[in-house]
């Protein structure tokens, strides 16, 4: 061999994988390697040829050897050498530090093992000595420290070796004997129902890790005493009558009295339920704190709450079922629903059929559709509803307490969970700092708290309470409508309103009192579902039945009786007249008093609608305040608040009905108002040169309207009584009897309605007049007098503002705008007047109206008026 290996001729494979598939893989691999080496030599030669011919253009400072470059290179070498020395020194120092830390850790661990061994020896001797002398609390503390060290994994082999095998065996034996002894004593305490022993032993069980056994036995004890207490609470008797005398009784008398007490009936159901709930609450308050503090690791707190609630359900639910059967609530509720439908059909949606005579209406109202026979008298049903409301109230109070207890238990568990997490975090950080490595995975370190579901969302007690709430709501709704029906059938009593001469009937107070009482009683139960149902039922009854009945009465007994000529008001200019009330024997004062009384009572039916509007607003405010004070924040409370807010459209409906009744009154007064305007201004506007003419009739003088005035007529107008004074006096005489017997809001609506009719009538008369400049001044004076009369006759202070009065009565505003338009001195000022008034929002005349009135000025030519105002209406 000459230093080279001769390889047999083989096919050169392309890859190493192909070489493995040939007959001689070794020769194939050698051939592939030799071919690769030859190819590499060729490539290297080509690269060298290319590098020889490759030229790199360097900067001038690098292309020549200068002193600056040499100095820079020397400094760089020095810095590199220094850094190398520092790195080597730092590496050596860090190795020494790690060695010292490792030695320290070992020493600390050895010291901890020694401490653990000493503690184990001390606790072993102390526990054995305490157990032999029956000092169980000292023994439990020693065992608890031993188990705590064991949990923290401090019982290392070295620590146990330091403590000695005998010490460990003695500790294990003491722990076992102590657990058996405590368990036996705890069982004896449960069997004897010794609360003192349980109070002493329960904390010791938690120290020796016997929480599960303690919870089981404690629940057994609690169940026994709770069953006995609940049965005693359920069997409470009705309060016996006091003996008639305090004299000493014989033995036979005392025996008869005892027998009478034994045979006395049981107390009402709400008393029995209340005592059961109080017993359960007292039990939770007495036992839950200790169990929650010492037995929480075994979920003893949740088990106590569950046990008490289950025992309460087993006692209370049969009481509810007995109450349902004894009171026949199913039958009564079904009859109440049918009677409510009959009464509702009588009053709702049948307004035309109810338009009958007073006697027929009274006969229909007296029929209660069988309420008294099938449900009971109003007093009896009201008492039964008080009883049902108390049952609901007691159940709701207990459920709120239980829910609060569940929240507090979970809150305490959450606090303990957070404390354990914080302690574990500190321990983990200490271990990580000592060892330099994590001791627990991230998922274990960040485990969130999961709230324990102690009671289900819907319990059996909630279901039976909801059933009672349904019965109660149906009967209470029928009771409400029956109370209103009683008020409808009774003769109305008229009462004066506070700080006013206006009257109201007893109907509105009686009906709204019944609605308020029903709503308040529903809210007093504390049950959101029942309160929501009663709120909706009250709203339906008020907005459906009461509103329609009061609207009908306002129309029949109010508006129709105030029709001039046919009712209490006369069609002439005198103050009152009543053909049905006139009698030769009655003098004028008696007739006047009777008419005033009749008008006041007729107006009272209109006032009832306004009073009902105020009562419904007060009811809504009161119920919202009750929700804020008596219902904890929840979804059900928000739903209840939404139900109460539905009373707002009902109060608006009463307000609209009152306004509509006043509008109907204005409608029947409109012919009389037109007659007064016609009598004051004359049937036709005079176009002559004289200012006024008079025509004498049977009992009055008619003053005609004329604004085509010269100087003499204008001077005469200043010293004479014009038609406007006469008109205002007639309007005052007509509206004053009505105004003094209506509520301020309705009186103002009546006044504004009448003034609107007057203004429209006057505007029609002005269209037939001719105006001179002096006549326009007289018109402005008359319109200002009418405005002053309007401000003086309305009651509300808001109408003392002219703009507010204009917005409330547009026809009156148009009259003042007409007067202002006709008093321009030059036609060129008209456009500026209209523009400025529109910007202020005080212009209601269209351009066609402005043209028509400007054409009535004798000084203005119609052609110029048309040319000036020939612009499009905005």
């Amino acid at each position: 061999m000459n230093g080279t290996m001769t390889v047999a001729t083989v096919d050169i494979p392309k890859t190493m994988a192909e070489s493995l598939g040939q007959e001689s893989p070794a020769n194939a691999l050698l051939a592939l390697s030799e071919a690769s080496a030859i190819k590499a030599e060729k490539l290297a030669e080509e690269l060298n040829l290319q590098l020889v011919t490759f030229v790199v253009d360097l900067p001038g400072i690098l292309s020549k050897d200068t002193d600056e470059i040499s100095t820079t290179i020397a400094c760089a070498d020095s810095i590199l050498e220094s850094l190398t020395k520092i790195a080597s020194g730092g590496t050596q120092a860090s190795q020494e530090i790690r060695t010292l830390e490792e030695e320290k850790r070992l020493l600390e661990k050895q010291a901890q093992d020694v401490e653990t061994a000493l503690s184990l020896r001390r606790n072993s001797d102390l526990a054995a000595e305490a157990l032999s002398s029956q000092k169980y609390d000292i023994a439990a503390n020693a065992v608890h420290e031993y188990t705590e060290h064991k949990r923290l994994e401090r019982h290392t082999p070295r620590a146990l070796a330091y403590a000695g095998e005998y010490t460990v065996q003695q500790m294990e034996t003491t722990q076992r004997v102590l657990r058996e002894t405590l368990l036996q004593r705890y069982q004896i305490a449960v069997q004897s129902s010794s609360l003192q022993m349980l109070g002493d032993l329960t904390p010791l069980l938690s120290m020796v890790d016997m929480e599960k056994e303690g919870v089981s036995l404690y629940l057994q004890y609690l169940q026994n005493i709770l069953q006995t207490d609940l049965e005693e609470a359920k069997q409470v008797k009705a309060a016996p009558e006091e003996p008639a005398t305090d004299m000493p009784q014989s033995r036979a008398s005392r025996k008869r009295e005892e027998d009478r007490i034994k045979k006395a009936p049981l107390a009402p159901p709400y008393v029995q339920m209340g005592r059961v709930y109080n017993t359960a609450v007292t039990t939770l308050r007495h036992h839950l704190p200790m169990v929650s503090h010492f037995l929480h690791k075994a979920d003893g707190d949740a088990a106590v709450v569950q046990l008490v609630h289950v025992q309460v359900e087993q006692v209370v639910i049969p009481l509810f079922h007995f109450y349902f059967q004894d009171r026949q609530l199913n039958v009564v509720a079904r009859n109440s629903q049918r009677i409510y439908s009959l009464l509702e059909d009588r009053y709702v949606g049948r307004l035309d059929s109810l338009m009958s005579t007073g006697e027929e209406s009274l006969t229909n109202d007296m029929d209660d559709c069988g309420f008294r026979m099938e449900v009971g008298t109003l007093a009896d049903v009201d008492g039964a509803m008080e009883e049902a409301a108390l049952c609901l109230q007691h159940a709701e109070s207990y459920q709120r307490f239980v829910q609060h207890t569940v929240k507090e238990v979970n809150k305490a568990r959450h606090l303990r969970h957070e404390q354990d997490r914080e302690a574990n975090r500190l321990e983990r950080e200490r271990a990580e700092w000592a060892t330099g490595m994590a001791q627990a995975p991230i998922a274990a370190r960040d485990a969130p708290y999961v709230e324990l579901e102690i009671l289900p969302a819907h319990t059996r007690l909630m279901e039976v309470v909801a059933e009672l709430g349904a019965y109660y709501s149906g009967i209470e709704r029928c009771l409400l409508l029956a109370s209103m029906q009683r008020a409808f059938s009774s003769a109305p009593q008229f009462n004066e309103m506070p700080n006013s001469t206006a009257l109201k009937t007893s109907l509105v107070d009686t009906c709204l009192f019944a609605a308020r009482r029903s709503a308040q009683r529903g809210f007093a139960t504390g049950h959101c579902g029942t309160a929501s149902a009663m709120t909706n039922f009250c709203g339906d009854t008020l907005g459906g039945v009461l509103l329609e009945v009061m609207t009908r009465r306002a129309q029949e007994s109010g508006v129709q009786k105030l029709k001039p000529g046919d009712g209490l008001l006369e069609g002439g200019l005198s103050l009152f007249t009543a053909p049905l009330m006139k009698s030769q024997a009655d003098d004028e004062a008696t007739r006047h008093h009777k008419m005033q009384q009749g008008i006041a009572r007729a107006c009272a039916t209109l006032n009832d609608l306004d009073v009902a509007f105020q009562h419904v607003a007060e009811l809504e405010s009161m119920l919202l305040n009750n929700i804020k004070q008596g219902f904890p924040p929840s979804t059900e409370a928000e739903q209840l608040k939404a139900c109460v807010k539905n009373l707002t459209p009902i109060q608006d409906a009463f307000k609209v009905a009152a306004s509509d009744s006043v509008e109907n009154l204005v409608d029947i007064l409109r012919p009389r108002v037109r007659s007064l305007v016609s009598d004051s201004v004359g049937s036709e506007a005079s176009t002559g040169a004289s200012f006024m003419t008079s025509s004498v009739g049977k009992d009055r003088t008619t003053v005609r309207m004329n604004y085509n005035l010269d100087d003499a007529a204008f001077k005469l107008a200043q010293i004479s009584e014009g038609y406007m004074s006469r008109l205002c006096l007639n309007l005052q005489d007509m509206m004053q009897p009505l105004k003094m017997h209506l509520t301020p809001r309705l009186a103002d609506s009546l006044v504004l309605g009448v003034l609107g009719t007057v203004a429209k009538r006057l505007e029609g008369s002005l269209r037939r007049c001719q105006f001179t400049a002096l006549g326009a001044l007289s018109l402005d004076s008359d319109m200002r007098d009418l405005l002053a009369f309007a401000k003086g006759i309305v009651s509300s202070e808001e109408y003392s503002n002219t703009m507010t009065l204009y917005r409330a009565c547009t026809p009156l505003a148009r009259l003042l705008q007409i007067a202002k338009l006709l008093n321009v001195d030059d036609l060129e000022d008209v456009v500026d007047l209209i523009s400025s008034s529109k910007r202020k929002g005080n212009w209601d005349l269209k351009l066609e109206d402005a043209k028509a009135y400007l054409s009535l000025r004798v000084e203005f030519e119609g052609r110029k008026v048309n040319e000036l105002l020939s612009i499009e209406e905005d």
Side-chain angles (χ1 to χ4, degrees):
M1 297 180 66
N2 296 327
T4 59
M5 181 182 294
T6 304
V7 180
T9 304
V10 295
D11 294 335
I12 300 175
K14 296 181 180 179
T15 61
M16 296 176 65
E18 292 182 0
S19 65
L20 297 177
Q22 296 186 8
E23 295 180 357
S24 178
N27 294 333
L29 289 173
L30 289 175
L32 179 61
S33 176
E34 185 177 356
S36 299
I38 296 172
K39 185 176 181 180
E41 290 178 357
K42 292 181 179 180
L43 292 176
E45 292 176 358
E46 294 178 0
L47 181 61
N48 289 331
L49 293 176
Q50 293 178 1
L51 289 176
V52 170
T53 60
F54 184 75
V55 179
V56 179
D57 295 332
L58 295 176
I61 191 171
L62 298 178
S63 60
K64 55 186 178 180
D65 188 10
T66 60
D67 295 338
E68 291 83 356
I69 294 177
S70 301
T71 303
T72 303
I73 294 173
C75 292
D77 292 340
S78 177
I79 293 172
L80 178 60
E81 183 178 0
S82 299
L83 291 176
T84 303
K85 292 180 179 180
I86 291 173
S88 60
T91 302
Q92 183 178 0
S94 63
Q95 290 177 355
E96 294 177 357
I97 291 173
R98 283 197 296 269
T99 302
L100 292 175
E101 287 181 352
E102 182 66 20
E103 293 177 358
K104 177 184 176 183
R105 187 179 65 82
L106 293 176
L107 290 175
E108 287 180 350
K109 192 170 183 180
Q110 185 176 4
Q112 185 179 9
D113 290 341
V114 172
E115 181 184 0
T116 302
L118 293 175
S119 175
L120 182 57
R121 287 185 177 184
R122 184 180 64 254
N123 289 329
S124 178
D125 296 338
L126 182 62
E129 182 181 355
L131 182 61
S132 61
S133 60
Q134 296 185 355
K135 296 180 180 179
Y136 301 115
D137 53 344
I138 299 177
N141 281 322
V143 171
H144 176 68
E145 187 173 352
Y146 168 73
T147 55
E148 190 67 18
H149 285 174
K150 194 173 183 180
R151 184 184 66 84
L152 296 176
E153 299 180 355
R154 292 184 180 179
H155 290 172
T156 62
R158 182 168 54 187
L160 295 178
Y162 288 162
E165 184 179 356
Y166 172 76
T167 301
V168 177
Q169 291 178 355
Q170 182 184 16
M171 193 66 191
E172 292 289 343
T173 303
T174 303
Q175 180 183 14
R176 177 175 52 80
V177 174
L178 178 62
R179 288 166 62 93
E180 293 175 355
T181 303
L182 291 178
L183 185 60
Q184 291 176 359
R185 292 180 61 83
Y186 208 82
Q187 290 174 347
I188 295 173
V190 170
Q191 293 174 0
S192 61
S193 299
S194 176
L195 185 60
Q196 180 65 34
M197 291 183 62
L198 291 174
D200 295 337
L201 295 174
T202 301
L204 304 183
L205 293 181
S206 64
M207 294 182 182
V208 296
D209 294 336
M210 294 182 65
E211 287 91 349
K212 292 184 178 180
E213 294 83 352
V215 168
S216 177
L217 292 174
Y218 200 94
L219 291 180
Q220 180 182 347
Y221 156 75
L222 191 60
Q223 184 176 8
N224 293 334
I225 65 170
L226 189 59
Q227 286 178 348
T228 304
D229 293 342
L230 293 180
E231 286 298 326
E232 292 178 358
K234 184 180 68 172
Q235 298 300 328
V236 61
K237 301 287 185 178
E241 298 180 359
E242 295 294 333
T245 178
D246 294 334
M247 296 296 292
Q249 295 180 341
S250 63
R251 183 178 300 175
S253 299
R254 288 197 299 270
K255 184 174 179 57
R256 287 194 299 270
E257 182 67 19
E258 293 175 358
D259 293 340
R260 186 181 66 83
I261 293 175
K262 291 180 180 179
K263 295 180 180 179
L266 294 176
Y270 62 87
V271 176
Q272 295 176 303
M273 296 176 186
R275 288 176 60 88
V276 169
Y277 297 141
N278 290 339
T279 302
V281 169
T282 303
T283 301
L284 283 174
R285 285 179 173 176
H286 285 177
H287 298 274
L288 184 59
M290 182 177 68
V291 176
S292 177
H293 185 72
F294 295 110
L295 304 179
H296 63 272
K297 292 181 179 179
D299 295 338
D301 44 8
V304 168
V305 176
Q306 293 170 350
L307 173 65
V308 172
H309 186 70
V310 169
Q311 293 297 319
V312 168
E313 286 185 338
Q314 291 177 356
V315 175
V316 168
I317 290 178
L319 289 178
F320 272 107
H321 291 161
F322 175 78
Y323 174 65
F324 295 163
Q325 295 176 1
D326 184 63
R327 302 299 191 272
Q328 297 183 351
L329 293 184
N330 187 18
V331 177
V332 175
R334 185 168 58 251
N335 293 337
S336 299
Q337 183 177 3
R338 181 177 56 82
I339 293 172
Y340 180 88
S341 300
L342 293 175
L343 291 174
E344 187 180 30
D345 291 341
R346 174 186 297 175
Y347 297 109
V348 178
R350 299 174 59 190
L351 189 60
D352 296 335
S353 63
L354 291 173
M355 294 296 181
S356 57
T357 62
E359 295 181 357
E360 293 174 350
S361 178
L362 185 61
T363 301
N364 291 335
D365 289 340
M366 288 297 293
D367 181 15
D368 62 358
C369 298
F371 179 84
R372 182 183 180 88
M373 296 296 297
E374 300 184 22
V375 180
T377 63
L378 292 178
D380 292 341
V381 177
D382 185 75
M385 291 298 96
E386 287 287 342
E387 187 178 71
L390 286 173
C391 292
L392 290 170
Q393 185 184 62
H394 294 337
E396 183 63 24
S397 299
Y398 165 74
Q399 290 189 83
R400 289 189 184 183
F401 176 81
V402 170
Q403 292 172 1
H404 172 73
T405 303
V406 170
K407 291 180 180 178
E408 290 300 314
V409 168
N410 277 311
K411 183 179 178 181
R413 295 171 65 88
H414 188 206
L415 290 176
R416 296 190 196 100
H417 176 77
E418 293 298 324
Q419 290 175 357
D420 293 342
R421 287 184 62 184
E422 182 67 16
N424 293 335
R425 184 185 65 82
L426 294 176
E427 182 68 20
R428 186 169 58 250
E429 289 180 354
R430 187 194 65 80
E432 290 175 356
W433 179 84
T435 61
M437 58 186 297
Q439 298 295 313
I442 299 297
R445 284 183 287 175
D446 298 335
Y449 169 73
V450 179
E451 188 173 288
L452 182 63
E453 184 180 359
I454 299 176
L455 293 177
H458 300 283
T459 62
R460 294 172 56 204
L461 181 59
M462 290 182 181
E463 294 176 358
V464 73
V465 168
E467 183 180 358
L468 176 58
Y471 291 148
Y472 167 82
S473 301
I475 300 174
E476 182 73 42
R477 177 179 67 163
C478 187
L479 173 63
L480 173 60
L481 188 54
S483 301
M484 290 186 178
Q485 181 268 334
R486 174 67 62 86
F488 299 157
S489 62
S490 302
Q493 301 295 324
F494 297 91
N495 304 314
E496 287 189 1
M497 300 179 65
N499 303 323
S500 176
T501 58
L503 300 180
K504 62 179 180 180
T505 67
S506 58
L507 173 68
V508 61
D509 287 337
T510 302
C511 294
L512 268 298
F513 172 79
R516 181 190 292 262
R517 180 176 176 81
S518 296
Q520 283 184 319
R521 186 154 54 195
F523 272 66
T525 63
H527 191 251
C528 288
T530 303
S532 299
M534 281 313 306
T535 302
N536 292 332
F537 290 155
C538 287
D540 295 340
T541 306
L542 292 175
V545 177
L546 184 61
L547 176 61
E548 188 156 352
V549 170
M550 292 180 65
T551 303
R552 176 169 59 88
R553 291 200 173 195
Q555 182 66 27
E556 294 178 352
S557 303
V559 176
Q560 293 298 328
K561 290 187 177 181
L562 293 174
K563 185 176 182 180
D566 297 336
L568 298 169
L569 296 180
E570 184 199 356
L573 285 178
S574 62
L575 190 61
F576 303 102
T577 183
L580 298 178
M581 290 186 177
K582 285 183 178 180
S583 174
Q584 298 296 331
D586 293 339
D587 55 7
E588 187 66 21
T590 303
R591 188 177 67 86
H592 181 79
H593 173 73
K594 289 182 177 180
M595 290 304 306
Q596 286 282 7
Q597 186 180 47
I599 294 174
R601 292 183 175 181
C603 293
T605 59
L606 279 71
N607 295 336
D608 285 347
L609 291 169
D610 198 46
V611 173
F613 154 70
Q614 299 173 7
H615 280 324
V616 174
E618 294 174 359
L619 177 62
E620 180 181 356
S621 177
M622 180 194 68
L623 295 182
L624 289 176
N625 189 44
N626 289 344
I627 294 175
K628 183 178 180 181
Q629 296 180 355
F631 291 85
S634 62
T635 305
E636 291 78 8
E638 292 297 325
Q639 294 174 353
L640 177 57
K641 186 181 294 185
C643 293
V644 174
K645 290 293 184 66
N646 289 334
L647 293 176
T648 300
I650 296 174
Q651 73 182 58
D652 293 340
F654 276 103
K655 185 177 181 180
V656 171
S659 300
D660 291 343
S661 298
V662 174
E663 291 180 3
N664 293 336
L665 179 58
V666 172
D667 289 339
I668 68 170
L669 292 177
R670 187 167 286 115
R672 178 64 188 142
V673 173
R674 291 173 178 172
S675 177
L676 292 178
V677 175
S678 298
D679 289 342
S680 299
V681 305
S683 58
E684 294 181 359
S686 176
T687 58
S690 62
F691 169 63
M692 64 179 67
T693 60
S694 300
S695 59
V696 179
K698 294 182 179 180
D699 58 351
R700 64 181 183 270
T701 302
T702 302
V703 180
R704 297 180 179 275
M705 177 191 295
N706 182 18
Y707 292 109
N708 191 3
L709 306 179
D710 53 13
D711 292 339
F714 182 75
K715 292 179 180 179
L716 181 61
Q718 300 303 311
I719 61 175
S720 303
E721 180 181 4
Y723 77 94
M724 187 59 68
S725 300
R726 176 71 174 178
L727 176 60
C728 292
L729 179 61
N730 291 339
L731 293 175
Q732 176 77 15
D733 291 343
M734 184 193 72
M735 289 189 296
Q736 187 61 30
L738 300 172
K739 182 176 176 296
M740 65 184 298
H741 295 301
L742 290 173
T743 61
R745 191 181 71 86
L746 298 185
D748 289 345
S749 297
L750 174 67
V751 169
L752 294 176
V754 171
L755 288 177
T757 302
V758 171
K760 291 178 181 178
R761 191 70 173 177
L762 288 177
E763 184 176 349
S765 299
L766 291 177
R767 289 180 178 272
R768 297 190 295 270
C769 291
Q770 294 291 324
F771 296 88
T772 62
L774 295 177
L777 290 176
S778 180
L779 173 65
D780 183 71
S781 176
D782 291 339
M783 295 304 106
R784 291 182 184 275
D785 290 342
L786 181 60
L787 179 63
F789 169 75
K791 289 183 178 181
I793 199 172
V794 293
S795 303
S796 178
E797 295 182 357
E798 64 174 333
Y799 295 123
S800 60
N801 183 275
T802 303
M803 293 303 299
T804 304
L805 185 60
Y806 283 172
R807 285 192 291 268
C809 186
T810 304
L812 180 64
R814 286 176 60 89
L815 287 181
L816 273 297
Q817 294 164 13
I818 291 171
K820 186 182 296 185
L821 180 66
L822 290 175
N823 273 278
V824 295
D825 296 330
D826 192 347
L827 281 177
E828 300 296 333
D829 299 333
V830 172
V831 177
D832 294 338
L833 173 64
I834 295 176
S835 301
S836 61
S837 299
K838 283 187 175 181
R839 284 194 300 270
K840 297 177 182 178
N842 185 26
W843 193 258
D844 301 294
L845 298 178
K846 297 181 179 181
L847 286 180
E848 294 299 327
D849 296 331
K851 291 180 183 180
Y853 285 112
L854 287 174
S855 299
L856 297 178
R857 274 285 297 269
V858 296
E859 294 86 359
F860 299 156
E861 295 182 10
R863 179 180 56 80
K864 292 184 178 181
V865 170
N866 292 330
E867 291 177 356
L868 180 65
L869 299 181
S870 59
I871 57 178
E872 295 183 359
E873 183 74 32
D874 291 339

